[in-house]
Amino acid sequence: QVVPNYELLLKNISAKVVLVTGAGGSIGSELCHQIIKLNPKKLLLLELNEFVLYKIYEELKYLNKKIEIIPLLVNVQNETRVNEVFATFKVDTVYHSAAYKHVSLVEENICEGVKNNVFGTFIIAQTAIQNGVSNFVLISSDKAVRSTNIMGATKRFAELCVQALYDGNKNTQFSIVRFGNVLESSGSVIPKFKEQIKTGGPVTLTHPDVTRYFMTKTEAAQLVIQAGAMSKSCQVFILDMGQSVKIKDLIYKMIRLSGLKVKDDQNPEGDIEIKVIGLRPGEKLYEELLLGSNPQKTYHEKIQKAQEPHIPFNQLKIDLDSLTTLLKENKIAEVKEMLEKLVTSYKSNSKIVDHIYNEKENLKNYNKKLPTIKDKENNVISMKTK
């Protein structure tokens, strides 16, 4: 971790009205902790989950009693309510962190993932422009790059929405910040491995060769704030995540640090077994941060910028309208097909595992078999009669 640039940290926060969406989430809550130290005029906590909103509000309200902290129970998909918030509080800076981020859960609930990650982002960004917000920062993900899953595809589509909206606007500065896994996040493997070791194992590994990037929550939040302060148009910023980590090596190290030994063919008397369970639908062996190959340096050593292709607003609006119709009718297969068409870097590596889709397919197949079953029953009855 490098010492942050305080000029960049203060630029869009000090004496400003700052709004954080997904304020109770892993990154959102850490952003709030960092923002409160930089003396905003007001800090608005926008969150859908009541419990995590209560938790982050309780944590923050005693840290700096001079700053007004406002907890708001709002769904980012509720355009009327979002507009009311922006208009009422005269927001200066937005950090849009609200998203569904668990790969397997989004893969199993496709339409809700698209509604929240794509349309939630579009609504927040468009409303920011309409209300004269000065700066808008989208928290993106390494999974948006050449994604093999719905979550990553929706995050890339969210980036495309922000880029398209910027084309027709000159008042709001946009920035998109991409980074990998955050160590203390709710979806991090570290707490999961700790718990598995504590209970005697086995520790579950998806694949022996799987690798991931990691960064601490504090460093990620500080770099997001600094990257957002550097944007001069609608730039994509890439955080330097260091070297990717082989998850198998990480597990071995965690077991050793717990004072235990790995149980395997070489050491059958060991304490903790590692069980390979296979990649889940949508998962990749490794993650990437760049769509292109020529990142440019910025004057911050841990932040790079990239030039990424985007869709013109007029075309995007047509696509969004078509997608809205499919979502209303819950046409899951068609929604996935449309994502593959619009996000050209997205290549799904699994069949549809959405629960509603699969249940409907099972019912269809069952109903197709019913006449055959009835025919057999009728034949048996007919033979008995004879």
Side-chain angles (χ1 to χ4, degrees):
Q1 188 168 342
V2 300
V3 176
N5 179 325
Y6 276 92
E7 187 181 338
L8 288 174
L9 286 176
L10 291 166
K11 185 181 173 189
N12 293 337
I13 292 173
S14 181
K16 309 237 172 159
V17 178
V18 181
L19 180 146
V20 178
T21 72
S26 304
I27 286 297
S29 60
E30 185 59 29
L31 278 168
C32 292
H33 277 283
Q34 296 301 320
I35 289 164
I36 207 79
K37 297 174 187 175
L38 301 167
N39 295 308
K41 183 179 177 183
K42 286 180 185 173
L43 175 57
L44 311 181
L45 315 176
L46 197 143
E47 177 60 65
L48 176 61
N49 184 307
E50 182 195 25
F51 173 71
V52 296
L53 179 59
Y54 169 78
K55 188 170 177 284
I56 187 62
Y57 179 58
E58 288 296 306
E59 287 173 14
L60 295 173
K61 68 181 183 182
Y62 299 112
L63 294 180
N64 191 335
K65 293 183 180 178
K66 293 178 183 176
I67 295 165
E68 189 177 0
I69 301 169
I70 301 165
L72 297 163
L73 273 171
V74 178
N75 186 336
V76 293
Q77 298 173 51
N78 186 336
E79 191 169 357
T80 304
R81 182 90 166 97
V82 167
N83 187 63
E84 188 179 24
V85 168
F86 278 84
T88 302
F89 292 101
K90 307 292 185 279
V91 176
D92 296 302
T93 301
V94 173
Y95 294 95
H96 179 47
S97 172
Y100 292 146
K101 299 185 178 91
H102 289 263
V103 169
S104 55
L105 277 178
V106 176
E107 207 69 22
E108 293 166 6
N109 297 274
I110 291 175
C111 289
E112 292 310 309
V114 174
K115 285 177 194 173
N116 198 55
N117 294 1
V118 176
F119 286 88
T121 298
F122 186 85
I123 287 165
I124 288 282
Q126 188 175 55
T127 309
I129 293 169
Q130 290 165 352
N131 286 276
V133 168
S134 301
N135 294 90
F136 183 100
V137 181
L138 169 64
I139 312 297
S140 192
S141 165
D142 57 354
K143 291 174 179 61
V145 178
R146 280 179 277 280
S147 180
T148 55
N149 52 66
I150 298 290
M151 191 282 270
T154 59
K155 291 300 285 181
R156 176 59 187 143
F157 201 178
E159 292 181 358
L160 291 169
C161 287
V162 168
Q163 289 169 319
L165 282 165
Y166 175 76
D167 277 352
N169 140 76
K170 301 298 169 202
N171 299 319
T172 303
Q173 292 295 322
F174 282 97
S175 50
I176 296 161
V177 186
R178 275 192 210 135
F179 52 96
N181 299 285
V182 174
L183 283 170
E184 307 95 324
S185 74
S186 58
S188 174
V189 293
I190 307 292
K192 181 181 174 182
F193 291 160
K194 275 186 182 176
E195 189 59 33
Q196 289 175 335
I197 292 167
K198 186 179 172 183
T199 56
V203 177
T204 54
L205 172 66
T206 54
H207 191 284
D209 297 325
V210 73
T211 63
R212 291 292 181 266
Y213 290 102
F214 289 99
M215 180 176 277
T216 68
K217 202 159 54 168
T218 301
E219 184 179 23
Q222 288 178 346
L223 287 172
V224 164
I225 293 169
Q226 292 170 87
M230 284 196 272
S231 188
K232 291 183 178 150
S233 54
C234 182
Q235 292 174 311
V236 178
F237 293 100
I238 314 295
L239 303 190
D240 180 0
M241 302 289 296
Q243 296 298 313
S244 63
V245 176
K246 201 167 185 177
I247 302 299
K248 186 177 179 181
D249 295 343
L250 177 66
I251 294 171
Y252 270 82
K253 188 176 282 190
M254 288 181 69
I255 291 171
R256 284 199 304 271
L257 289 172
S258 302
L260 301 167
K261 293 178 182 177
V262 174
K263 182 180 179 180
D264 55 20
D265 293 340
Q266 283 75 41
N267 187 15
E269 302 302 316
D271 306 294
I272 305 290
E273 184 186 357
I274 298 172
K275 185 179 179 183
V276 178
I277 59 173
L279 291 169
R280 290 170 294 187
E283 281 190 324
K284 292 168 76 172
L285 280 176
Y286 59 92
E287 302 292 356
E288 306 165 86
L289 287 163
L290 274 172
L291 277 170
S293 57
N294 295 308
Q296 297 173 303
K297 289 183 178 180
T298 68
Y299 54 88
H300 193 296
E301 63 181 284
K302 297 210 80 175
I303 303 171
Q304 296 178 310
K305 58 186 178 182
Q307 296 296 322
E308 306 284 25
H310 66 279
I311 302 170
F313 179 80
N314 290 340
Q315 179 59 51
L316 180 86
K317 193 68 179 71
I318 294 166
D319 295 331
L320 285 174
D321 290 342
S322 301
L323 198 51
T324 300
T325 304
L326 294 176
L327 288 167
K328 279 179 183 174
E329 296 170 8
N330 211 39
K331 291 189 173 177
I332 294 160
E334 289 87 343
V335 167
K336 186 177 179 183
E337 282 173 20
M338 192 157 188
L339 272 182
E340 289 173 335
K341 177 188 140 199
L342 297 175
V343 183
T344 53
S345 61
Y346 165 49
K347 306 288 180 217
S348 175
N349 68 359
S350 73
K351 62 180 183 179
I352 296 175
V353 292
D354 184 281
H355 293 296
I356 292 173
Y357 176 86
N358 284 336
E359 188 63 20
K360 284 181 175 178
E361 287 299 300
N362 289 339
L363 285 169
K364 268 190 209 171
N365 292 333
Y366 177 74
N367 288 333
K368 281 178 186 175
K369 289 175 185 174
L370 273 181
T372 309
I373 295 166
K374 283 178 182 174
D375 288 343
K376 284 180 181 177
E377 287 174 351
N378 289 335
N379 286 337
V380 169
I381 293 166
S382 175
M383 286 173 72
K384 282 182 179 177
T385 306
K386 287 177 183 176

